[in-house]
């Protein structure tokens, strides 16, 4: 196994400041100490690992390599084609900077996709309202609908109430979800909270 080979390698060279942990990262209990992350994430579960790390307060910097299209979604801004739920999730917790692409020729065997590397810096924000990401996720599941229709179908709000909430946020009710920023969704969440009782 790779972990055994690495342990043997570092032991042979007398390394004393390296610990090899052989575990499923999604099930691993990350210690509550400051850490940085450098990883070529498995492409099929990359976003799940990003979503586990970002809400933690004790990471400082993360550098990830993933499929280029995934990196584009992580770093996307409102109005772009790649803008999605994971874009807002990432930007809420971290500053994002796409560094460079990696050609398939850099791998053996070469994959059929281009990879990219991204650097994330922890903003250490306060935890959002528990409803916030539920609202964002719901909106992007129906991203071709107007924000009025998205909000009215969220928690089964009446359209008149949804329209009142959107007006209080000074937003155009006919905007699509991919035009709204992090702060727009935060205002919508706060205003919706005033008019709705959530079981959370």
């Amino acid at each position: 196994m790779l972990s055994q080979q690495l342990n043997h390698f570092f032991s042979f060279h007398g390394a004393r400041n390296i610990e090899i942990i052989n575990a499923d990262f999604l099930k691993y209990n990350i210690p509550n100490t400051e850490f940085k992350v450098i990883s070529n994430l498995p492409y099929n579960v990359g976003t799940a690992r990003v979503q586990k790390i970002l809400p933690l307060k004790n990471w400082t910097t993360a550098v990830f390599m993933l499929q280029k299209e995934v990196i584009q979604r992580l770093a996307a801004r409102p109005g772009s084609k790649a803008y999605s739920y994971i874009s807002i999730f990432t930007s809420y917790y971290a500053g994002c900077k796409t560094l460079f692409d990696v050609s398939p020729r850099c791998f053996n065997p070469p994959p059929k996709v281009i990879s990219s590397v991204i650097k994330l810096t922890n903003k250490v924000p306060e935890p959002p309202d528990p409803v916030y990401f539920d609202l964002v996720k719901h909106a992007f599941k129906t991203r071709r609908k107007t924000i009025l229709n998205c909000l009215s179908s969220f928690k089964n709000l009446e359209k008149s109430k949804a329209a009142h909430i959107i007006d209080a946020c000074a937003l155009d009710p006919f905007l699509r979800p991919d035009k709204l920023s992090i702060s727009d969704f935060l205002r919508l969440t706060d205003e919706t909270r005033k008019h709705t009782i959530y079981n959370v």
Side-chain angles (χ1 to χ4, degrees):
M1 293 177 64
L2 179 60
S3 62
Q4 293 173 333
Q5 293 174 352
L6 289 172
N7 273 314
H8 176 75
F9 175 85
F10 289 118
S11 176
F12 179 79
H13 289 283
R16 296 288 183 267
N17 60 344
I18 294 174
E19 179 184 2
I20 307 299
I21 299 171
N22 181 25
D24 182 339
F25 181 76
L26 293 178
K27 298 177 181 178
Y28 178 65
N29 186 21
I30 300 174
N32 189 27
T33 55
E34 185 177 293
F35 68 96
K36 297 179 181 179
V37 184
I38 300 173
S39 179
N40 174 16
L41 292 172
Y43 288 8
N44 60 330
V45 290
T47 54
R49 295 177 185 225
V50 170
Q51 287 179 280
K52 176 173 180 175
I53 292 170
L54 295 197
L56 302 175
K57 290 186 177 295
N58 53 321
W59 70 276
T60 57
T61 305
V63 178
F64 296 130
M65 181 163 68
L66 282 162
Q67 188 172 339
K68 183 174 182 177
E69 289 77 9
V70 175
I71 294 294
Q72 289 173 333
R73 288 197 292 272
L74 294 180
R77 294 294 179 262
S80 66
K81 190 175 181 180
Y83 192 58
S84 62
Y85 165 78
I86 195 63
S87 312
I88 292 179
F89 184 93
T90 303
S91 293
Y92 182 86
Y93 290 109
C96 310
K97 183 179 180 182
T98 303
L99 300 180
F100 51 85
D101 293 340
V102 181
S103 168
R105 295 192 301 273
C106 296
F107 301 88
N108 185 23
K112 296 180 179 180
V113 299
I114 297 174
S115 302
S116 291
V117 176
I118 191 171
K119 179 181 179 181
L120 305 177
T121 306
N122 197 349
K123 292 180 178 177
V124 198
E126 290 300 315
D129 186 308
V131 173
Y132 176 67
F133 286 123
D134 287 343
L135 173 57
V136 174
K137 188 175 291 186
H138 176 82
F140 279 96
K141 282 182 179 177
T142 55
R143 65 183 297 150
R144 298 315 306 155
K145 291 185 178 181
T146 65
I147 194 62
L148 174 61
N149 287 331
C150 288
L151 188 60
S152 63
S153 62
F154 182 66
K155 307 297 185 181
N156 296 316
L157 291 176
E158 295 179 4
K159 254 191 179 175
S160 58
K161 182 178 284 189
H164 177 76
I165 291 169
I166 292 169
D167 182 64
C169 296
L171 292 171
D172 181 346
F174 299 107
L175 286 174
R176 310 290 181 188
D178 60 0
K179 302 298 183 185
L180 272 60
S181 66
I182 288 177
S183 59
D184 292 334
F185 276 110
L186 284 171
R187 293 203 311 278
L188 278 174
T189 302
D190 291 342
E191 197 63 33
T192 304
R193 174 70 74 179
K194 296 176 185 177
H195 294 82
T196 311
I197 299 174
Y198 297 126
N199 294 320
V200 294

